[in-house]
Amino acid sequence: MLLGGIWMSSPSSGSLFDARPICIIITEDSRKVLPSFKNSVDLIVTSPPYADARKKHYESIHPDHFVEWFRTFHEPLWNALKPSGSLVINIKDKIVNSVRHRYVWHTIEMLSSLGWFCIDDYIWHKPNPMPGYWPTRLRDGWEYCFHLAKSPKPYTNQNAVRKPIGDWVKARLSNMSENDLTRQNSVNKSGFGRNISRWADKKTVLPSNVISLPLVGVNKGHPAVFPPELPEFFIRLLSPPNGLIVDPFAGSGMTGLAATNLARDCILIENNKDYAKLAFRNLQDACADDKFEIELRFTDGQNICFPKQKVSPLFNLQKRHGLIKRTGRYDRHLQPVAG
């Protein structure tokens, strides 16, 4: 089937995924690029520009207009995801005239009305928030991470994010009462219950939906950098091995660092050329021993590869994920991928 100039076929497997992971950085509006990856993406994890924030760095979007602006991304995001795919949005609300503007909530409600399933709300807890003083508020020590999906039961691998149960279990289980040996239902008749003795041999537990990660020490040349451990958590949880990860507002490339570190291919889309170049440099610095491939693609057809390649890494990525059936086809936003 021909879509946007790219021949699509069933996903490939086997030796195609035995090679090193690939990260493609594309300097373009993600609404133009995403249609080329229809039904191919396992996870989109991103932090879109905050409303009216950092006007020198982004097109400034007033909070009152943010919902309608983000609505224009709904269809490209939805169509790029596989039926089992997920979308994770890290976003922070804004103070307007000393009151929190609820554009974030309204954006999630808008997406829900368009068919997205709101699977869970995560909190990124920042133990080292920026200092400051505000007459009616305290320091912002957290941000939202919303998990949405095309299905109420998207791909999830909880075992990939399990953590050690902790030393508390030794003391708690060393002195169990008779009630601890059988299931005890909640006294408020909620239907919930527990059997403490079943934890005797457990070594790990599921984490909570509060993720504690400190702020990045420096902004790495970009005004809004999240630590790579944040997208890494969701990549582990919500994408399969050899999955394809996309960040449509890539910034300095932290999602790319997380994805390649976990042996996933990724597409980073950033319409600011300076930030796209910055993402390329950050990935290049992390690419010790050529452990993954990077390609920076500009809309004028120029591209930069690291390490140098005879064949475009984008072409190899498209083959891996079933986006190319035969060579010689190209997409006007991606430029020629093979000759």
Side-chain angles (χ1 to χ4, degrees), residues 295-309:
E295 181 176 1
L296 173 59
R297 300 184 71 90
F298 298 97
T299 53
D300 61 6
Q302 297 182 15
N303 69 319
I304 306 172
C305 298
F306 182 85
K308 291 185 177 180
Q309 305 287 319

Side-chain angles (χ1 to χ4, degrees), residues 117-224:
F117 291 92
C118 298
I119 305 300
D120 204 356
D121 299 343
Y122 291 79
I123 295 297
W124 168 24
H125 164 235
K126 298 178 283 189
N128 61 337
M130 294 296 292
Y133 172 76
W134 301 266
T136 58
R137 298 182 293 113
L138 303 179
R139 289 191 293 167
D140 277 339
W142 60 276
E143 294 187 17
Y144 297 106
C145 292
F146 294 102
H147 175 200
L148 301 101
K150 297 173 71 170
S151 160
K153 293 184 178 180
Y155 174 90
T156 307
N157 182 6
Q158 294 179 328
N159 289 331
V161 295
R162 283 184 170 273
K163 64 179 188 177
I165 194 171
D167 294 335
W168 66 269
V169 71
K170 295 179 182 179
R172 179 65 181 86
L173 297 182
S174 64
N175 188 27
M176 289 190 292
S177 67
E178 183 177 346
N179 286 340
D180 291 330
L181 301 178
T182 58
R183 177 182 171 88
Q184 300 297 311
N185 292 320
S186 172
V187 294
N188 63 9
K189 298 182 181 181
S190 65
F192 293 101
R194 64 180 182 179
N195 182 344
I196 296 294
S197 64
R198 296 182 62 184
W199 291 90
D201 298 323
K202 292 185 180 294
K203 304 298 182 184
T204 60
V205 292
L206 296 179
S208 76
N209 55 6
V210 177
I211 307 164
S212 292
L213 292 170
L215 287 167
V216 177
V218 293
N219 67 17
K220 297 185 181 295
H222 188 277

Side-chain angles (χ1 to χ4, degrees), residues 17 19-23 259-266 291-294 320:
F17 287 99
R20 55 195 173 187
I22 296 170
C23 183
T260 52
N261 186 51
L262 296 173
R264 268 74 160 180
D265 294 334
C266 65
K291 63 180 181 180
F292 55 88
E293 300 175 20
I294 319 163
R320 281 185 190 176

